[in-house]
Amino acid sequence: MKIVANWNYPTDIRVGRGRVEELADACRSLGISNPLLVTDRGLANMAITRAARETLSDGGLSHVLFADVDPNPNELNLEAGIAAFRNGDHDGVIAFGGGSGIDLGKCIALMVGQTRPVWDFTESDDGWKQADADAIVPIISVPTTAGTGAEVRRSSMITNSVTHGKTAIFHPKLMPSVVICDPELTVGMPKSITAGTGMVAFSHCLEAYCSPVYHPMGQGIAIEGMRLVKEYLPRAYRDSMDLEARLNMMSAGIMGAIAIQKGLGAIHVLSHQIGAMYNTHHGTTNAVLMPMVLRFNQKAVERKIEKLAGYLEIPGGFEGFHGFLLAFRADLAIPQSLSEMSISNDHLEDIAAQAMANPMAAGNPVKLTLDNTIELLESCF
Amino acid sequence: MKIVANWNYPTDIRVGRGRVEELADACRSLGISNPLLVTDRGLANMAITRAARETLSDGGLSHVLFADVDPNPNELNLEAGIAAFRNGDHDGVIAFGGGSGIDLGKCIALMVGQTRPVWDFTESDDGWKQADADAIVPIISVPTTAGTGAEVRRSSMITNSVTHGKTAIFHPKLMPSVVICDPELTVGMPKSITAGTGMVAFSHCLEAYCSPVYHPMGQGIAIEGMRLVKEYLPRAYRDSMDLEARLNMMSAGIMGAIAIQKGLGAIHVLSHQIGAMYNTHHGTTNAVLMPMVLRFNQKAVERKIEKLAGYLEIPGGFEGFHGFLLAFRADLAIPQSLSEMSISNDHLEDIAAQAMANPMAAGNPVKLTLDNTIELLESCF
């Protein structure tokens, strides 16, 4: 036996319809009296954003809106955000929105008190330990989508405006101190985003569940997260006003982001690489790869999947679960193959080689080699 | 729909064989240079305690052992511990042991900087908010049993030395900042304690799972916690040196204590009352009551139990799970009824009436009334 594990769980999570009204209280609980509210340009003038700002004013808090945030936020957005924070003499950040607003908001809170460049603060080689932790200001996150779990994660993705390369900035204190999940903020999501971000949550849970890492809390959270997606994503997809389904998808997104402490595998390694090369949607790409990666991992995960299918009440064990995945994504109008995503199969060796170089590749239940990874990719066309 | 929830998760949990050697590092990570190590008299001179103390000395940390702790620690133990802490000019607590050492250690850390009496700091009426949170010193917990989860909980049970009444002292900062779970510390547990504390973990998970409260992370953790107990408690019971089983039972104990954020029900309400009246072992009493309470709740939890049985690979749905419980506890030499525990059925009305007064009673899936609670108790003889 060689079980060694370190476990951490977030944070103060407040779930429920209308709870965005607690925003001023949440600020005060963290000693924030003048927050900078960071969101993206698209959200800046929407009704949900105006309503959130009103709850701050009604609660007696001054604040400023900063919305100069690109879809893939970069270091120029970050510099502008830091300047806005300093000019307004703010004392905390509300990171509001989809992934871009939340990722940039968290990074502004990290960087307002640092002297080193943001690119130093990565998880690899413990670069983040060079940050002055005491200079990081408190963060409240308010998600307006459901799936990626950026609202509870300890990293932010920042794009280099020159090279277009993406870097995951990491710090334990990037995890927001308070998370407010109000399903009324997510009803405006387009159908395809509901499906794609929902499948991010499912793929987080499935890969965490299949990971061989010892993390029983992550395993349990992954199981129940998949049950929520199975039950509620079709409902949220059909009826954008189904607030019970929306709320459960917010829970599933958070649970996926927590469960991946346990590990990820080939779905995420390959999806990351394909996304970098073809700019595809992460959740959709994950969903396309999912049944083929499951088949690829069959011999290592078959017994586990049988148990999971038992809980999800899917008859037929492993094969039943595989068939469920195919039908589930078809009902969400997700493409059945990479060909249907208009991706060519000209660069499979490149994709496989770069995937092998990703440290995450080592976590896949079946060992990835260049040859079997190319075969796996071929099976996805 | 009316889903409103607040979720919090602990803490820095370090799991693995031999990890008690990280004790000095853990102290330093919390700024502790001179801890008071609190444990009970029985453990004070055992080899595992001496080894833990040596790792502190080897790590260059001075410390003092305080072991004047009764099996049900009281306010006199607490006063003596506070005096020892002040005399030694300590700056943190290592709460080491079974429930009594951990509960008292946590309470010493709470009380060294307070002016109000300990009895003020309860969860009801937010009494704990009267405590000076900044005066609480950091706590590291090191469990030597597996089951109750005292090592991650935000409460300590303290007995009044005069009235013999027990009070749950509560504060969010009673949750230890670092938990070290080293299965080598638990191999000395007697068989009956292994079984009884293991069943505490199972009953925490089962009642949390059955609770109607919306807490999907708690639900998932409960499911996987029960899988661990089903798989590893019989092994730990048969072979006290089975370290893999011991470690998994430590995980299950922590998971049960976290899952009960979701709620508890009739098992715990009745077991608490019976324990107060007859001084029975909590885990054993829980295990005796469990199948009858499950039957009592059948109509509210049947569908949920079918899903659970699917994950645990127990055939036969609800009835299959009920039969599994009976066989499982028989294999652990747990009594089959309250009669077998030498409890008389003369005071069932008293027990039921007092149980009804417990606020926890409201969380049971089927509403408890005086009449149906008496009937439930009668079915346990």
Side-chain angles (χ1 to χ4, degrees):
Chain A
M1 182 195 60
K2 182 62 185 163
I3 295 176
V4 178
N6 295 325
W7 298 331
N8 283 283
Y9 280 86
T11 201
D12 178 351
I13 305 175
R14 306 182 186 191
V15 177
R17 188 173 169 181
R19 294 197 71 175
V20 73
E21 287 167 19
E22 296 176 24
L23 201 43
D25 282 341
C27 285
R28 262 190 287 268
S29 77
L30 298 172
I32 303 174
S33 60
N34 177 27
L36 184 69
L37 192 153
V38 180
T39 193
D40 61 61
R41 292 185 195 94
L43 276 166
N45 291 307
M46 281 176 63
I48 52 172
T49 312
R50 286 200 308 273
R53 299 184 66 183
E54 267 167 38
T55 68
L56 289 172
S57 307
D58 293 351
L61 291 190
S62 61
H63 75 280
V64 165
L65 177 76
F66 176 80
D68 199 7
V69 181
D70 288 312
N72 292 308
N74 60 38
E75 82 285 4
L76 304 176
N77 302 144
L78 179 58
E79 282 162 26
I82 294 169
F85 188 98
R86 290 181 181 149
N87 289 342
D89 205 18
H90 297 287
D91 53 5
V93 167
I94 298 171
F96 188 96
S100 53
I102 289 186
D103 271 6
L104 192 76
K106 285 157 59 180
C107 243
I108 291 170
L110 165 66
M111 292 304 296
V112 287
Q114 308 300 327
T115 52
R116 304 186 69 94
V118 68
W119 312 117
D120 285 1
F121 303 141
T122 58
E123 197 161 11
S124 62
D125 301 326
D126 286 345
W128 61 273
K129 289 188 176 170
Q130 303 172 87
D132 179 356
D134 293 333
I136 303 171
V137 301
I139 305 165
I140 296 170
S141 66
V142 185
T144 61
T145 61
T148 67
E151 62 271 23
V152 295
R153 293 176 74 168
R154 300 180 297 168
S155 58
S156 281
M157 198 63 84
I158 302 294
T159 298
N160 185 308
S161 67
V162 180
T163 66
H164 303 292
K166 292 182 177 189
T167 302
I169 306 305
F170 176 88
H171 197 284
K173 288 180 79 176
L174 276 181
M175 183 185 290
S177 302
V178 176
V179 185
I180 297 180
C181 293
D182 183 339
E184 294 185 346
L185 305 186
T186 72
V187 297
M189 269 199 285
K191 261 180 141 54
S192 66
I193 301 294
T194 296
T197 53
M199 290 309 278
V200 173
F202 195 89
S203 60
H204 281 165
C205 289
L206 180 61
E207 288 220 291
Y209 181 75
C210 291
S211 158
V213 170
Y214 182 76
H215 199 317
M217 279 197 277
Q219 183 145 329
I221 289 170
I223 296 164
E224 180 64 6
M226 284 185 272
R227 189 187 71 80
L228 294 183
V229 178
K230 172 174 178 274
E231 188 162 339
Y232 293 105
L233 180 53
R235 281 175 51 177
Y237 181 76
R238 278 196 304 272
D239 173 8
S240 78
M241 298 301 293
D242 184 336
L243 288 172
E244 184 182 351
R246 292 280 179 197
L247 184 148
N248 277 286
M249 286 307 300
M250 296 186 100
S251 296
I254 286 175
M255 292 165 77
I258 295 173
I260 61 175
Q261 282 192 29
K262 185 168 183 295
L264 288 170
I267 295 173
H268 281 81
V269 171
L270 296 176
S271 176
H272 183 80
Q273 215 48 56
I274 291 167
M277 198 172 274
Y278 296 99
N279 204 25
T280 54
H281 184 274
H282 178 58
T284 308
T285 317
N286 287 359
V288 169
L289 298 169
M290 198 179 290
M292 294 73 157
V293 171
L294 186 75
R295 179 69 72 197
F296 178 84
N297 286 328
Q298 179 169 354
K299 68 173 186 284
V301 303
E302 188 159 6
R303 287 286 298 120
K304 262 189 179 174
I305 295 291
E306 286 168 6
K307 291 190 176 78
L308 174 65
Y311 183 63
L312 298 179
E313 301 185 294
I314 296 169
F318 181 90
E319 292 304 328
F321 183 77
H322 187 268
F324 157 78
L325 281 186
L326 294 173
F328 191 73
R329 63 179 197 179
D331 289 343
L332 299 168
I334 286 169
Q336 303 291 304
S337 67
L338 292 176
S339 336
E340 281 188 33
M341 293 183 85
S342 308
I343 293 172
S344 86
N345 60 357
D346 294 344
H347 304 287
L348 301 191
E349 279 202 46
D350 285 354
I351 295 172
Q354 284 162 11
M356 300 293 300
N358 185 333
M360 223 195 286
N364 194 63
V366 167
K367 189 175 154 52
L368 294 169
T369 66
L370 189 62
D371 286 348
N372 69 17
T373 305
I374 293 171
E375 273 175 45
L376 167 56
L377 281 165
E378 282 167 349
S379 75
C380 299
F381 282 87
Chain B
M1 182 192 62
K2 182 62 186 166
I3 296 177
V4 177
N6 295 324
W7 298 330
N8 282 283
Y9 279 86
T11 199
D12 178 351
I13 306 174
R14 307 181 186 191
V15 176
R17 189 174 169 178
R19 294 197 71 174
V20 73
E21 288 167 19
E22 295 175 25
L23 202 43
D25 282 341
C27 286
R28 262 190 287 269
S29 77
L30 298 173
I32 303 174
S33 60
N34 178 29
L36 183 71
L37 193 153
V38 180
T39 194
D40 61 62
R41 293 186 194 93
L43 277 166
N45 290 309
M46 282 177 61
I48 52 171
T49 313
R50 286 201 307 274
R53 299 184 64 182
E54 267 167 38
T55 68
L56 288 171
S57 308
D58 293 350
L61 292 191
S62 61
H63 75 281
V64 166
L65 178 76
F66 176 80
D68 198 7
V69 181
D70 288 312
N72 291 308
N74 59 37
E75 83 284 4
L76 304 176
N77 302 145
L78 179 58
E79 282 162 26
I82 293 168
F85 188 97
R86 289 183 181 146
N87 289 342
D89 205 17
H90 297 287
D91 53 4
V93 167
I94 297 171
F96 187 96
S100 54
I102 289 186
D103 271 4
L104 192 77
K106 286 158 59 180
C107 243
I108 292 170
L110 166 65
M111 292 304 297
V112 287
Q114 308 300 327
T115 52
R116 305 185 69 94
V118 69
W119 312 117
D120 285 0
F121 303 142
T122 58
E123 197 162 10
S124 61
D125 301 327
D126 286 346
W128 62 271
K129 289 188 175 170
Q130 303 173 88
D132 178 356
D134 293 333
I136 303 170
V137 301
I139 305 165
I140 297 170
S141 66
V142 184
T144 62
T145 62
T148 67
E151 61 272 23
V152 295
R153 292 176 75 169
R154 299 179 298 169
S155 59
S156 279
M157 199 62 83
I158 302 295
T159 298
N160 185 308
S161 66
V162 180
T163 65
H164 302 291
K166 291 183 177 187
T167 303
I169 306 304
F170 176 87
H171 197 284
K173 289 181 79 176
L174 276 181
M175 183 186 288
S177 301
V178 176
V179 184
I180 298 180
C181 292
D182 183 338
E184 294 184 347
L185 305 186
T186 72
V187 298
M189 267 198 286
K191 261 181 142 54
S192 65
I193 301 295
T194 296
T197 54
M199 289 310 276
V200 173
F202 195 89
S203 59
H204 281 166
C205 289
L206 180 61
E207 288 221 290
Y209 180 75
C210 290
S211 158
V213 171
Y214 182 76
H215 198 318
M217 280 197 277
Q219 184 145 329
I221 289 170
I223 296 164
E224 181 63 7
M226 286 185 271
R227 189 187 71 80
L228 294 182
V229 177
K230 172 175 179 273
E231 188 162 339
Y232 294 105
L233 180 53
R235 282 176 49 177
Y237 181 76
R238 278 197 303 272
D239 174 7
S240 80
M241 298 302 292
D242 184 337
L243 288 172
E244 185 183 349
R246 292 280 180 197
L247 184 148
N248 277 287
M249 285 308 299
M250 296 186 100
S251 296
I254 286 175
M255 291 164 76
I258 295 173
I260 60 174
Q261 281 192 29
K262 186 168 182 296
L264 288 170
I267 296 173
H268 281 80
V269 171
L270 297 177
S271 176
H272 183 80
Q273 215 49 56
I274 292 167
M277 198 172 273
Y278 296 98
N279 204 23
T280 55
H281 184 275
H282 178 58
T284 307
T285 316
N286 287 358
V288 170
L289 297 170
M290 198 180 291
M292 294 73 156
V293 172
L294 186 74
R295 179 67 74 197
F296 178 84
N297 286 327
Q298 181 170 354
K299 68 174 185 285
V301 303
E302 188 159 6
R303 287 286 297 121
K304 262 188 178 172
I305 295 292
E306 286 168 7
K307 291 189 175 80
L308 173 66
Y311 183 63
L312 298 178
E313 300 185 297
I314 296 169
F318 181 90
E319 292 304 328
F321 183 77
H322 187 268
F324 157 77
L325 281 186
L326 294 174
F328 190 73
R329 63 179 197 179
D331 288 344
L332 299 168
I334 287 170
Q336 303 291 303
S337 67
L338 292 177
S339 337
E340 281 188 34
M341 294 183 86
S342 308
I343 292 173
S344 85
N345 60 357
D346 294 344
H347 303 286
L348 301 191
E349 278 201 46
D350 286 354
I351 295 172
Q354 283 160 12
M356 298 295 299
N358 185 333
M360 223 195 286
N364 194 63
V366 168
K367 189 175 156 50
L368 293 169
T369 65
L370 189 62
D371 285 348
N372 71 17
T373 305
I374 293 171
E375 273 175 44
L376 167 56
L377 282 165
E378 282 167 349
S379 75
C380 300
F381 282 87

